[in-house]
Amino acid sequence: MPATCVIGLQWGDEAKGKVVDVLTQKNEICVRYQGGANAGHTVKFGGQAFKLSLIPSGIFHHNVKSVVANGVVLDPARFLEEIEGLTSRGVQVDAENLALSNRLHVIMPWHFLEDRIMNSLCAHEPIGSTMRGIGQCYRDKVGRSMAFRLGDLYLPSFPERLKEVTQIKNQYLYGMNPDGGKEQVSYTETLEKYTAYAEKLKPMVTDTTAFLLNAVDADKNVLFEGAQGALLDIDHGTFPFVTSSNSSGVGVCAGAGIPAKFVKNVVGIMKAYTTRVGGGPFPTEQDNEIGQQIRDAGHEYGTVTKRPRRCGWFDAVAVRYTSRLSGVDTLSLMLLDVLDQMPEISICTAYEINGERTTDFPALVEDLYEVKPVYETMPGWMSDTTGCRNYSDLPDNAKRYVERLEQIVGAKVGIVSVGPDREQTIFRD
Ligand code: IMP
């Protein structure tokens, strides 16, 4: 089973970090292949909580090589801070267990400014970005002329190119800035900072595509850790309320540089309910007491931005779509315990759009805004599941809920999570 990938099937924050952490024990290499510091993963074990943003969750395991592959956009300052935070708590993070692709794109100072200005200019319907410059960095990657890959920072031509691009970017910023263009980027400061970052990162920078191709050819067990969720996929998500990378299963090959034939096992992660941060349609949103109960029980506040997450019932139409899109083999159902005190639980099984019933997920957000969810309601279990360790320990109504979800989504639930700790994980087979 050379390559396994873990994909979030909703709008992110499905607690993928925990599943990756559990699965990493069976793998030799753990790879992040898309997104950037907009992601936030929490891994808890031994009474400690670690928050990760760019570093793969495999970092906590001995003999596992963590790889940040070409599809990621890297904020070097945050990345170095994250390394420092981990090493100060005794976690090994160095060139021996972490590799960075020389092809990945670097977030530059203007990307943050552009992100903020763009968000304020388009205030009528903001995407609600995490303000980490993610979309702007990916845009420059596609535009090519003004992009910097990590490998570029070591070229003798870097200072000259940086000077040229900084000048062009300052002209852009001047034109964009509604306050009269006060925000400009200093070339000398940027050169100094990015040269220092490059020096610190140097021992870890390598051709990760070659490394991963050799690994899959040699039948090594590789785990691909997706960030965000498939409904935020730039091509297949709820565009334009998405992130700027392929966060569904389709992103693995391009983001890491491995052929599709090696991806043998896709684990889809879904919460027992739905959450979303930022703008955009959310058909099963409960902007009421139910939503608040879920938010309180699930501590649903953003890891990166601390924003309260929007909460609602499980949307089986959306998850069936993203599960099929990502080629899911096994589902992991997370945060089941959050529903422990719900007397009744609803599942959205179909959409009604302008009077027509469908189980297909629409391509246009305009249609999604019109959706009337069709619900099926089941009795809750009203008891504490956090101590359950085997599937048979779960209350009957909880088992009925799990089995109904797998029936509608169309894949088997292999893992059920009933709490944040590694131990609070039920493996069904
Ligand atoms: P960006 O990725 O910062 O450009 O943000 C675009 C949209 O994706 C916003 O609605 C964000 O809230 C959302 N988003 C980005 N990263 C995550 C994540 O890790 N979890 C959940 N939502 C995210």
Side-chain angles (χ1 to χ4, degrees):
M1 201 60 86
T4 297
C5 64
V6 173
I7 304 291
L9 297 180
Q10 293 156 319
W11 277 289
D13 311 312
E14 297 93 350
K16 294 177 290 292
K18 175 176 169 177
V19 178
V20 171
D21 178 57
V22 170
L23 293 178
T24 305
Q25 296 163 29
K26 298 180 186 141
N27 286 275
E28 295 150 90
I29 299 167
C30 181
V31 187
R32 253 298 288 279
Y33 57 89
Q34 47 78 222
N38 48 353
H41 295 167
T42 307
V43 179
K44 294 191 179 173
F45 56 87
Q48 292 201 78
F50 294 89
K51 289 194 191 307
L52 299 175
S53 194
L54 280 156
I55 296 182
S57 313
I59 204 72
F60 300 112
H61 296 272
H62 293 295
N63 306 322
V64 172
K65 181 96 175 183
S66 290
V67 174
V68 182
N70 60 283
V72 168
V73 286
L74 187 90
D75 173 350
R78 279 193 187 275
F79 187 72
L80 288 163
E81 263 172 36
E82 203 174 324
I83 294 181
E84 263 175 47
L86 288 170
T87 47
S88 69
R89 292 174 69 185
V91 180
Q92 182 196 345
V93 191
D94 54 32
E96 202 189 319
N97 66 352
L98 182 61
L100 276 177
S101 169
N102 52 4
R103 289 180 172 87
L104 66 73
H105 282 249
V106 181
I107 301 195
M108 304 300 288
W110 42 81
H111 291 139
F112 301 106
L113 297 175
E114 290 169 0
D115 204 353
R116 194 165 49 68
I117 297 169
M118 193 56 85
N119 203 58
S120 62
L121 285 179
C122 301
H124 58 285
E125 210 179 10
I127 286 168
S129 106
T130 56
M131 301 289 162
R132 297 283 153 95
I134 306 294
Q136 285 63 30
C137 186
Y138 277 119
R139 186 205 51 212
D140 281 344
K141 170 179 175 172
V142 177
R144 295 152 297 163
S145 327
M146 286 192 278
F148 289 92
R149 303 205 294 179
L150 187 53
D152 296 343
L153 271 49
Y154 304 96
L155 298 175
S157 57
F158 174 61
E160 257 329 284
R161 259 205 76 222
L162 181 69
K163 192 179 221 169
E164 184 185 273
V165 175
T166 309
Q167 270 167 5
I168 301 170
K169 283 291 184 179
N170 278 336
Q171 285 168 14
Y172 267 121
L173 285 169
Y174 187 85
M176 276 175 86
N177 193 336
D179 300 331
K182 279 180 231 132
E183 283 164 317
Q184 296 279 284
V185 172
S186 154
Y187 161 66
T188 43
E189 238 175 67
T190 308
L191 180 63
E192 203 177 302
K193 274 192 187 161
Y194 279 70
T195 309
Y197 297 149
E199 209 39 51
K200 285 191 185 155
L201 296 174
K202 201 170 182 177
M204 292 176 248
V205 181
T206 185
D207 182 346
T208 59
T209 306
F211 172 77
L212 290 173
L213 284 174
N214 288 337
V216 288
D217 277 347
D219 264 358
K220 293 216 165 153
N221 291 327
V222 187
L223 184 71
F224 293 90
E225 177 183 2
Q228 289 90 38
L231 292 171
L232 289 170
D233 187 288
I234 183 77
D235 287 294
H236 305 286
T238 50
F239 191 90
F241 301 99
V242 290
T243 192
S244 299
S245 59
N246 284 118
S247 50
S248 71
V250 304
V252 179
C253 299
I258 60 141
K261 67 177 182 180
F262 285 108
V263 182
K264 297 285 187 227
N265 183 25
V266 182
V267 182
I269 316 291
M270 58 191 204
K271 280 179 180 171
Y273 48 92
T274 312
T275 62
R276 169 160 215 178
V277 250
F282 179 175
T284 61
E285 181 168 16
Q286 299 297 303
D287 192 9
N288 53 29
E289 273 176 25
I290 293 171
Q292 192 56 44
Q293 191 178 337
I294 295 174
R295 188 174 304 112
D296 291 342
H299 311 291
E300 291 293 356
Y301 296 88
T303 319
V304 173
T305 58
K306 314 282 180 248
R307 286 180 284 184
R309 295 181 183 138
R310 299 157 65 191
C311 298
W313 294 124
F314 188 88
D315 185 340
V317 177
V319 175
R320 180 174 162 268
Y321 162 65
T322 52
S323 171
R324 292 169 69 212
L325 177 70
S326 301
V328 165
D329 297 293
T330 318
L331 295 163
S332 273
L333 181 64
M334 313 305 288
L335 294 127
L336 184 69
D337 54 297
V338 171
L339 301 183
D340 280 354
Q341 298 309 322
M342 288 283 178
E344 285 190 328
I345 300 170
S346 296
I347 306 170
C348 169
T349 54
Y351 290 166
E352 232 172 69
I353 306 174
N354 303 322
E356 299 237 346
R357 196 173 274 215
T358 179
T359 51
D360 288 333
F361 192 76
L364 301 181
V365 287
E366 286 72 15
D367 286 335
L368 267 176
Y369 278 125
E370 294 303 315
V371 160
K372 285 204 187 84
V374 178
Y375 287 115
E376 185 177 299
T377 299
M378 301 178 75
W381 44 94
M382 298 299 283
S383 59
D384 183 0
T385 57
T386 57
C388 298
R389 295 293 174 269
N390 298 301
Y391 191 68
S392 55
D393 300 340
L394 287 175
D396 285 345
N397 282 352
K399 281 189 268 191
R400 278 188 201 108
Y401 184 63
V402 174
E403 286 156 33
R404 184 66 185 128
L405 293 187
E406 63 185 3
Q407 200 177 34
I408 315 174
V409 173
K412 187 101 185 123
V413 173
I415 295 175
V416 180
S417 175
V418 289
D421 269 5
R422 269 181 193 164
E423 297 72 39
Q424 293 172 300
T425 313
I426 297 171
F427 294 93
R428 263 179 95 190
D429 297 312

